[in-house]
Amino acid sequence: MIEVKDLYFKYSEKDAFSIDHISFKINKGEIFGFLGPNGAGKTTVQAILTGLLKQQGGTVLYQGKSIEEQKEDFYNKIGVSFEFPNLYGKLTGYENLKYFAGLFSVPTVDPNFLLDLVGLKDITNKRTEQYSKGMKQRAVFARALINNPKILYLDEPVSGLDPTTARNIKQVIQKEKEKGTTIFLATHNMFVAEELCDEVAFINEGKIVTIDTPKNLKLQYGSKSVEVEYKMSGHVHKELLFLEKKDDKSKLQNIIANHQIITMHSKEASLEEIFIKVTGRGLI
Amino acid sequence: MKKLWTLLKIDYTMALRGKFILLTLILAILLTVIINFVLPEKLNTEMNTYILDRTSNTRIATFLNAQGDEGNAIKIRATKSEEELTSMLTKSNGVGIIFEDNRVIIVKQGYEDEATLNLITATINLLTKKLTGVYSPKSFKYTVLEPQSTEKLPFNKSMIPPLIALDVFFLGFYLIAAMIFQDKNEGIINAYRISPINVFGYITSKVVINSSLAIALSLILGVATVGFHMNYWHYFVIVTLSALLISSLGMLLSQFYNSLSEFMYVLIAFTLVIAIPVISYFQPSFSVPFFKYIPSYPIMFEIKNIISSAQSKEIWSVSLLLAVELAGVLTLVYFTSKRILFGRRRSS
């Protein structure tokens, strides 16, 4: 469905690559998670895939047709939810969606239904300048669904939302997938990715470090991990070590031999822990 | 059409809630009040001339008294002493002339322009010629080159053309820029760019809504100050073309900037350019051929002709000039918007 080959991008000649020769494929109807910390290049990739940014090198193909060749009809088929909400503040939530719907040449969804879906039913007639950031984000998410998109781009869709609202949004995303929508999900929230994605790509400093299903990643990195708590110089330290990695294995042997062990047990690593292990940095 | 209609509804609602429409109405009422009730129909330009005749047999005073000043712009008042003349000059607008046998002393206020002083000198020369019998015309007749086009407008009505020119600029140029910056700052442009919007619709909607404000103001002002004694069809054509042109110019320039503060320099420069022809309007001798291509110039002079019900021969040629300028600017707006506002960017 979507095929990206050797894509690269830099914001200026002097800068390092923001996107450094990345390649991936997204199959129809799957949720593809693009995971990485802030500034890793997730939003830049989404901007290139949606045509907001001009690609400098590599190819982006939609069913074999380049993004550069896509015409007006392409935008009838996609929905985009931005990380930073962009709504007309002087229009109500309902008006923002209703007017946006008027720009499409395909059947659209009832704005009230969508606003209800994301928990904004009670404030549909309130101007969005009076919404909180989370409310605006949900309104933008609802707007992305207005044209029944075949491809959905979501940039940090649950960032900053309370757990209940985040769960509702995740359910909506899951329902979209069940309808056959292909979803590109850019996030730094590994729990969301773990819960929703069929396949995930770890992106760090513009490069894709690894791509696989969450299950395979866990099998590959997480099944033989040990969490150990030990005392060193009077302080308690905690480490997650992957026994398949030589360095980790010898580190564990060193801890057992030279320090007082408080607790030690095998555990399945989370995607976040795997990300840290693979990239050497956290997700924030 | 559905998309254009949607965009028009959005921009109309934004103009309404952004108080642009309220501002237009307030401006129309304010200008109507100023023209109808604050500015006089006639400016008092009467100038008193106080004379003191110190010639041997006071023949100047005798001659001037015999002539009378009925209908003259210059009212002549005789004084008996230099003290009285000075006292009169301190109390009212005017100049003093002291006639002596061998010279004439002109006592001025200090702010008279060269033309006024030359007029006084010429009058004295003529007076001398009349007194000595060198030149003695029986009567004066005034003829004008184009009688239809010089029907004099009352002073307050003569202010309508420059006010309309400047308001069309303010509403069209300034407010469309404000709308563009709002779309940029709220990120709306990005939302549009991932929708199947067409650039033409976006431009048309913005230009039409902002021009409508300027047209509405001009029509309200026309009806409220001039009434129905003018050709509203001609008035509508000129005002509409001008408003569309100025709005398009506002859109063309504002898309290169991100905020009103960045745009301020352009706004000031453009305001100055637009205002230059106002000088020509009040001082027709100050006119340079290229002024005709500054939109405010044809707007002012054509509206002046229309308001004074003169049979202007230039209405259609001026309309054509404005239409050609509009077509050129709109073409530029289309290509620049496609590239700057809606094109794939090279950076975020």
Side-chain angles (χ1 to χ4, degrees):
Chain A
M1 174 105 195
I2 304 171
E3 196 175 354
V4 174
K5 278 187 211 161
D6 203 26
L7 185 70
Y8 61 85
F9 186 90
K10 51 165 79 174
Y11 282 98
S12 77
E13 277 304 314
K14 290 175 193 167
D15 290 343
F17 281 109
S18 297
I19 301 299
D20 196 353
H21 300 84
I22 64 171
S23 303
F24 58 91
K25 264 185 191 176
I26 308 176
N27 298 317
K28 189 177 183 308
E30 80 172 18
I31 302 180
F32 185 85
F34 216 60
L35 313 181
N38 293 331
K42 305 184 297 289
T43 304
T44 304
V45 172
Q46 176 166 311
I48 295 171
L49 295 187
T50 53
L52 284 174
L53 275 179
K54 193 174 173 64
Q55 69 187 83
Q56 295 166 348
T59 51
V60 177
L61 303 173
Y62 286 88
Q63 289 177 326
K65 194 174 174 185
S66 159
I67 177 76
E68 301 282 323
E69 298 169 77
Q70 299 292 341
K71 303 282 180 211
E72 193 180 298
D73 191 47
F74 170 71
Y75 293 99
N76 276 316
K77 294 178 191 160
I78 69 165
V80 181
S81 177
F82 295 88
E83 182 182 4
F84 299 105
N86 47 2
L87 299 157
Y88 272 120
K90 290 196 177 350
L91 299 184
T92 64
Y94 175 79
E95 286 168 336
N96 264 290
L97 265 67
K98 189 185 133 208
Y99 289 146
F100 200 67
L103 301 175
F104 291 91
S105 325
V106 290
T108 53
V109 185
D110 176 14
N112 280 324
F113 170 77
L114 290 174
L115 289 167
D116 188 14
L117 203 65
V118 296
L120 297 175
K121 188 186 175 184
D122 298 333
I123 50 167
T124 54
N125 290 318
K126 206 172 173 182
R127 290 189 190 182
T128 58
E129 63 194 0
Q130 294 166 345
Y131 283 17
S132 68
K133 192 186 173 236
M135 289 169 181
K136 286 181 185 170
Q137 207 173 338
R138 280 184 277 159
V140 170
F141 176 79
R143 190 183 64 191
L145 305 174
I146 197 86
N147 55 323
N148 271 314
K150 301 280 176 283
I151 307 169
L152 195 52
Y153 295 91
L154 306 173
D155 193 354
E156 304 286 3
V158 297
S159 168
L161 300 182
D162 64 82
T164 314
T165 313
R167 194 178 62 234
N168 289 344
I169 296 291
K170 282 187 276 187
Q171 281 170 359
V172 175
I173 296 170
Q174 197 61 49
K175 276 181 189 164
E176 282 299 311
K177 174 189 153 62
E178 284 161 18
K179 277 163 59 183
T181 310
T182 305
I183 300 168
F184 178 89
L185 176 71
T187 184
H188 68 271
N189 186 329
M190 292 294 165
F191 299 106
V192 173
E194 207 168 331
E195 209 174 318
L196 295 173
C197 296
D198 297 300
E199 197 168 30
V200 292
F202 285 172
I203 182 165
N204 187 36
E205 293 174 352
K207 288 180 182 158
I208 288 183
V209 186
T210 183
I211 301 179
D212 214 327
T213 62
K215 193 179 167 187
N216 283 346
L217 283 171
K218 284 183 174 183
L219 282 173
Q220 192 181 342
Y221 295 97
S223 61
K224 292 175 184 170
S225 66
V226 172
E227 191 175 68
V228 57
E229 263 186 308
Y230 61 97
K231 236 179 193 176
M232 186 171 77
S233 316
H235 296 286
V236 176
H237 294 263
K238 194 174 174 181
E239 295 247 16
L240 181 72
L241 301 164
F242 293 82
L243 300 182
E244 283 177 344
K245 293 183 96 178
K246 259 188 186 174
D247 290 351
D248 280 12
K249 202 172 178 179
S250 58
K251 196 172 184 181
L252 181 64
Q253 285 165 348
N254 178 42
I255 291 169
I256 293 169
N258 302 310
H259 303 287
Q260 182 192 341
I261 306 291
I262 298 169
T263 62
M264 183 164 72
H265 49 85
S266 63
K267 92 179 263 267
E268 185 183 60
S270 67
L271 273 188
E272 182 161 8
E273 287 161 338
I274 295 170
F275 185 90
I276 295 168
K277 213 68 203 173
V278 172
T279 63
R281 65 176 285 192
L283 279 161
I284 307 295
Chain B
M1 273 319 272
K2 180 192 152 205
K3 289 179 194 175
L4 177 60
W5 183 239
T6 299
L7 288 165
L8 283 168
K9 278 195 283 188
I10 294 174
D11 287 330
Y12 168 76
T13 314
M14 293 307 291
L16 184 71
R17 295 192 188 158
K19 306 219 170 18
F20 290 6
I21 294 174
L22 181 68
L23 182 71
T24 306
L25 286 174
I26 290 173
L27 209 54
I29 294 167
L30 194 68
L31 293 177
T32 302
V33 169
I34 288 173
I35 290 167
N36 284 346
F37 306 110
V38 178
L39 296 174
E41 285 200 353
K42 196 177 172 188
L43 266 190
N44 185 12
T45 53
E46 210 172 63
M47 189 170 73
N48 291 315
T49 304
Y50 298 98
I51 64 162
L52 175 62
D53 191 354
R54 283 180 181 161
T55 56
S56 26
N57 48 9
T58 61
R59 55 196 170 133
I60 306 271
T62 313
F63 179 80
L64 289 175
N65 280 338
Q67 295 280 308
D69 59 8
E70 191 63 35
N72 291 346
I74 299 176
K75 303 291 177 192
I76 296 170
R77 304 277 177 266
T79 56
K80 288 179 180 137
S81 64
E82 198 168 338
E83 287 74 28
E84 189 191 350
L85 182 139
T86 312
S87 159
M88 294 307 286
L89 284 178
T90 54
K91 287 179 195 162
S92 65
N93 178 32
V95 291
I97 305 173
I98 302 171
F99 290 96
E100 293 177 349
D101 282 330
N102 296 317
R103 63 173 183 168
V104 175
I105 303 165
I106 297 171
V107 187
K108 51 183 189 170
Q109 305 272 3
Y111 49 72
E112 295 83 354
D113 58 23
E114 201 63 29
T116 307
L117 295 175
N118 287 341
L119 179 67
I120 292 167
T121 310
T123 308
I124 294 168
N125 284 337
L126 181 64
L127 179 67
T128 315
K129 283 175 183 172
K130 279 183 180 177
L131 278 171
T132 52
V134 175
Y135 179 69
S136 183
K138 294 276 183 278
S139 66
F140 287 90
K141 186 188 171 193
Y142 298 96
T143 60
V144 289
L145 292 173
E146 289 181 68
Q148 305 95 323
S149 65
T150 53
E151 192 175 320
K152 192 143 178 74
L153 274 179
F155 173 72
N156 56 348
K157 304 279 192 295
S158 72
M159 296 303 289
I160 296 171
L163 284 175
I164 285 183
L166 294 177
D167 287 328
V168 163
F169 160 73
F170 173 74
L171 294 173
F173 193 85
Y174 184 85
L175 294 188
I176 203 167
M179 269 190 168
I180 297 286
F181 296 137
Q182 184 172 295
D183 279 5
K184 282 187 175 184
N185 295 334
E186 291 192 332
I188 297 297
I189 291 284
N190 275 350
Y192 281 147
R193 289 171 65 214
I194 48 86
S195 77
I197 192 177
N198 64 49
V199 181
F200 182 75
Y202 181 82
I203 297 167
T204 307
S205 166
K206 289 268 183 296
V207 170
V208 164
I209 292 296
N210 283 279
S211 300
S212 305
L213 297 176
I215 295 164
L217 180 130
S218 305
L219 289 175
I220 294 171
L221 203 58
V223 172
T225 56
V226 183
F228 294 95
H229 312 295
M230 67 167 160
N231 187 331
Y232 270 95
W233 167 238
H234 287 177
Y235 185 69
F236 180 75
V237 169
I238 289 293
V239 165
T240 302
L241 284 169
S242 314
L244 290 171
L245 175 61
I246 301 284
S247 300
S248 307
L249 273 170
M251 186 155 185
L252 175 68
L253 296 174
S254 59
Q255 55 187 314
F256 292 96
Y257 301 86
N258 290 315
S259 67
L260 214 49
S261 54
E262 274 184 26
F263 190 59
M264 202 50 80
Y265 299 104
V266 180
L267 197 63
I268 292 168
F270 202 77
T271 308
L272 288 175
V273 172
I274 287 289
I276 287 173
V278 177
I279 306 170
S280 290
Y281 179 81
F282 289 110
Q283 192 74 45
S285 57
F286 179 72
S287 180
V288 180
F290 81 84
F291 281 6
K292 285 189 176 177
Y293 300 99
I294 299 175
S296 51
Y297 185 95
I299 300 170
M300 277 189 300
F301 284 95
E302 269 321 300
I303 289 177
K304 184 186 175 190
N305 283 338
I306 295 165
I307 290 176
S308 61
S309 300
Q311 297 300 312
S312 170
K313 294 169 190 164
E314 292 188 349
I315 173 82
W316 299 118
S317 61
V318 168
S319 301
L320 184 67
L321 172 70
L322 290 172
V324 169
E325 286 179 342
L326 174 63
V329 174
L330 276 178
T331 309
L332 278 174
V333 173
Y334 179 77
F335 287 109
T336 49
S337 297
K338 213 171 170 182
R339 192 179 166 84
I340 295 167
L341 294 179
F342 291 93
R344 292 196 171 106
R345 291 179 190 156
R346 291 177 191 280
S347 63
S348 57

